[in-house]
Amino acid sequence: MITKFIKRILRRDPMVKHTQANNTGAPKRIPKKAHRIDPHLLSKNAVKVTHTLQQAGYEAFIVGGAVRDLALGISPKDFDVATNATPDQVQRLFRKARLIGRRFQIVHVTFFGKGHPEIIEVSTFRALLDNAGDHVAESGRILRDNVWGSQGEDAARRDFTINAMYYDPSSETVLDYHGGMADMQKKTLRMIGDPAKRYREDPVRMLRAVRFAAKTGFELDGATRAPIAKLGKLLNDVPSARLFDEILKLLMSGYSWAAIQGLKDAGLHHGLLPLLDHILDTGADSKGANDFVKLALANTDERIQSGKSVSAGFLFATLLWPDLLKNWKANSAKGMANIPALHDAMDDTIATQSSGMTIQRRFESDMREIWSMQPRFERRVGRYPYRLIESPRFRAGYDFMLLRCATGELNPAIGQWWTDFIATDVTGQDELMASVKNESGNSPSPAKRRRRRKPKAAVPPESAAS
Ligand code: ATP
Ligand code: MG
């Protein structure tokens, strides 16, 4: 009893070395010539953080996904640092440092440079929670996670071997506790420890397995894959907001189509997004819907891989479009007027989605805006087109409309007309308006023509969907 108590107290002190309290063993030290990490791919700010901590007498490393990406020769999208300094000790060393989180306390150190500010996430080495009863729910799910530990323990509680390597920019050495580098060479994604137990602790790890496999192109190790079929249902217990974040990461990974196929192969898509059930379960009869979603995802992947931005609202608007279209058509068939039929269908589509993972409100309004713009692209008379290009979300609505053209749902000539319309000057726009008049016999009323405002300059075609 007393020894247990003392152990627990010791764990709270990060500067205490835990040599036998854990079975994590010594790490493999991998020198530069073996890991070949290119220092040019490092964030200067992340290096600054590790140096500052080291100069203050602490241990500090770049860790996690950043080391995995560096070893793959990819430029990491963000950098995490792990240290034996406590969050308070970290905070005292940096001017712009904020303590974040309760369940998992970390420090955000912010740097303001020329572009966007960069946030380096600094976390203190965590202890393994095997015997820390009050931190673990009956199901095995970890509830609170602020017990400090050694670096070895910190490594053991990470998810995959390739995510558990520590890189010291000063010595250019990688510390590898779980054979991550060997797994990188074997192109294997392997869970640290007993996979079933690790999934029970945190079912989101199953989604992460699928996401990383899609991103790296690695195979899931057999033992890592096996328990997923049985344990997938544990995802039902995960709070909706966390599930949403993880699905968003998956969709925004730049490998969304591969990841969605991975979800299907692992049997994990059920109940996450009703739309995914629909798209992945139905066969030839939903071919049109499949085409649209596939194209939208391929388009998103391509944008992300080439460093362009994608808005989540746009992405969800595309994923739910086939459902919306079906509801819209059904409403029209019931005799509803076009626009009310669309708005009613939007409510229905969004309400149905809430049965699985809830799409957050902030994205919902973007989705509604993009959707409600769609019929307006077909009204190429009078002031309508001039008004439409002035809508704040025009660019997203336009990109969305182009996707509809690409699958043939909308006449591609309309897409081309709009592409020409936004690229030309006032005279060109008037000519285009006249061409529609000739094409459809639609003549704008003279009163409306007179009231139209001077159109804005051409919109550059690249800043789409952001
Ligand atoms: P990405 O490139 O998507 O950011 P990442 O590996 O950096 O991938 P993060 O979610 O940023 O993923 O997490 C950083 C690190 O924290 C991971 O590499 C892993 O070591 C650890 N980690 C994150 N989530 C978990 C989890 N659910 N279980 C165990 N370890 C985790
Ligand atoms: Mg990361």
Side-chain angles (χ1 to χ4, degrees):
M1 183 71 190
I2 289 173
T3 32
K4 212 169 164 188
F5 178 68
I6 291 171
K7 258 190 202 168
R8 217 134 138 208
I9 296 288
L10 286 178
R11 276 185 174 171
R12 287 179 201 279
D13 181 353
M15 300 301 286
V16 175
K17 293 270 179 257
H18 300 266
T19 40
Q20 345 91 14
N22 56 72
N23 278 327
T24 47
K28 199 166 169 191
R29 305 182 77 86
I30 304 174
K32 187 177 181 180
K33 65 176 189 318
H35 63 65
R36 295 173 168 217
I37 286 176
D38 175 2
H40 294 104
L41 294 176
L42 291 170
S43 145
K44 288 198 177 60
N45 295 325
V47 176
K48 237 184 255 171
V49 170
T50 53
H51 279 174
T52 306
L53 283 160
Q54 288 169 353
Q55 270 164 7
Y58 302 108
E59 294 169 20
F61 301 83
I62 291 169
V63 70
V67 184
R68 172 197 71 220
D69 290 351
L70 289 166
L72 284 168
I74 304 172
S75 181
K77 66 174 166 43
D78 45 44
F79 283 81
D80 298 328
V81 166
T83 177
N84 64 348
T86 62
D88 288 336
Q89 290 167 333
V90 174
Q91 198 183 22
R92 266 177 252 139
L93 288 173
F94 300 94
R95 251 188 317 140
K96 287 270 173 219
R98 237 161 40 103
L99 271 172
I100 308 282
R102 281 174 49 183
R103 192 184 83 97
F104 194 99
Q105 214 176 50
I106 50 171
V107 181
H108 275 180
V109 183
T110 309
F111 293 89
F112 296 93
K114 277 185 217 133
H116 288 296
E118 184 180 8
I119 294 175
I120 306 295
E121 220 170 85
V122 186
S123 54
T124 304
F125 296 149
R126 251 72 178 180
L128 283 164
L129 292 176
D130 274 2
N131 300 312
D134 54 338
H135 295 276
V136 184
E138 249 173 58
S139 65
R141 191 154 69 88
I142 292 177
L143 302 174
R144 267 195 314 128
D145 209 357
N146 286 323
V147 185
W148 318 135
S150 66
Q151 185 179 40
E153 287 182 284
D154 188 78
R157 49 175 304 294
R158 292 179 180 271
D159 46 10
F160 302 96
T161 61
I162 62 168
N163 283 350
M165 296 185 282
Y166 298 74
Y167 178 66
D168 174 7
S170 312
S171 63
E172 295 188 54
T173 308
V174 169
L175 300 188
D176 181 4
Y177 285 83
H178 296 280
M181 207 53 95
D183 281 339
M184 299 257 332
Q185 272 145 17
K186 282 184 258 170
K187 297 191 184 300
T188 298
L189 198 57
R190 188 191 314 275
M191 179 64 77
I192 297 168
D194 170 21
K197 181 167 171 257
R198 305 302 311 281
Y199 294 138
R200 279 201 189 91
E201 278 171 7
D202 181 4
V204 162
R205 287 173 185 151
M206 292 183 266
L207 297 178
R208 291 173 62 85
V210 170
R211 171 158 67 93
F212 294 130
K215 179 173 169 171
T216 55
F218 289 9
E219 286 287 329
L220 279 175
D221 165 63
T224 298
R225 167 177 285 278
I228 295 180
K230 218 172 96 199
L231 299 181
K233 57 180 186 299
L234 293 180
L235 284 168
N236 296 334
D237 303 338
V238 176
S240 170
R242 174 127 195 263
L243 221 45
F244 182 85
D245 282 351
E246 200 55 41
I247 291 289
L248 196 59
K249 278 191 192 172
L250 189 141
L251 294 173
M252 300 281 210
S253 63
Y255 299 86
S256 62
W257 184 248
I260 285 177
Q261 292 306 316
L263 285 181
K264 182 183 170 152
D265 294 346
L268 287 179
H269 59 295
H270 288 283
L272 286 178
L273 251 186
L275 169 99
L276 291 184
D277 291 4
H278 182 70
I279 296 290
L280 293 171
D281 288 340
T282 44
D285 60 321
S286 68
K287 191 176 173 305
N290 255 327
D291 284 351
F292 185 86
V293 170
K294 206 168 169 177
L295 190 74
L297 291 173
N299 184 49
T300 304
D301 287 350
E302 195 188 303
R303 286 184 68 87
I304 291 175
Q305 284 179 26
S306 57
K308 292 183 199 157
S309 64
V310 169
S311 87
F314 183 90
L315 186 56
F316 285 111
T318 58
L319 292 180
L320 298 180
W321 180 249
D323 245 23
L324 173 64
L325 209 54
K326 207 173 75 203
N327 292 339
W328 187 10
K329 280 182 185 155
N331 285 343
S332 301
K334 278 186 262 168
M336 276 172 95
N338 198 34
I339 303 300
L342 170 62
H343 283 265
D344 190 80
M346 295 197 312
D347 293 344
D348 266 5
T349 305
I350 287 173
T352 320
Q353 287 308 306
S354 308
S355 63
M357 171 201 75
T358 330
I359 292 178
Q360 291 169 7
R361 288 237 165 249
R362 61 199 161 112
F363 301 124
E364 204 184 296
S365 61
D366 271 9
M367 285 156 51
R368 285 180 186 273
E369 246 180 288
I370 291 169
W371 288 337
S372 55
M373 239 186 262
Q374 296 310 306
R376 297 173 67 191
F377 284 101
E378 294 179 64
R379 303 189 77 180
R380 291 168 300 151
V381 293
R383 289 164 295 153
Y384 293 116
Y386 301 103
R387 274 210 200 140
L388 187 53
I389 56 172
E390 283 177 12
S391 334
R393 304 285 293 138
F394 171 79
R395 186 46 78 172
Y398 163 77
D399 277 346
F400 194 91
M401 182 268 300
L402 288 185
L403 282 178
R404 295 171 58 216
C405 291
T407 50
E409 180 212 312
L410 188 69
N411 180 356
I414 296 181
Q416 189 55 52
W417 188 92
W418 277 99
T419 303
D420 296 341
F421 191 77
I422 57 182
T424 186
D425 58 11
V426 183
T427 323
Q429 290 186 334
D430 283 344
E431 281 167 15
L432 281 163
M433 292 297 289
S435 74
V436 180
K437 196 174 80 182
N438 296 337
E439 179 186 298
S440 60
N442 260 333
S443 172
S445 79
K448 280 179 181 169
R449 284 281 288 155
R450 244 179 279 124
R451 274 171 50 203
R452 93 166 152 77
R453 279 188 282 150
K454 192 166 170 269
K456 277 191 173 166
V459 188
E462 258 319 316
S463 58
S466 50

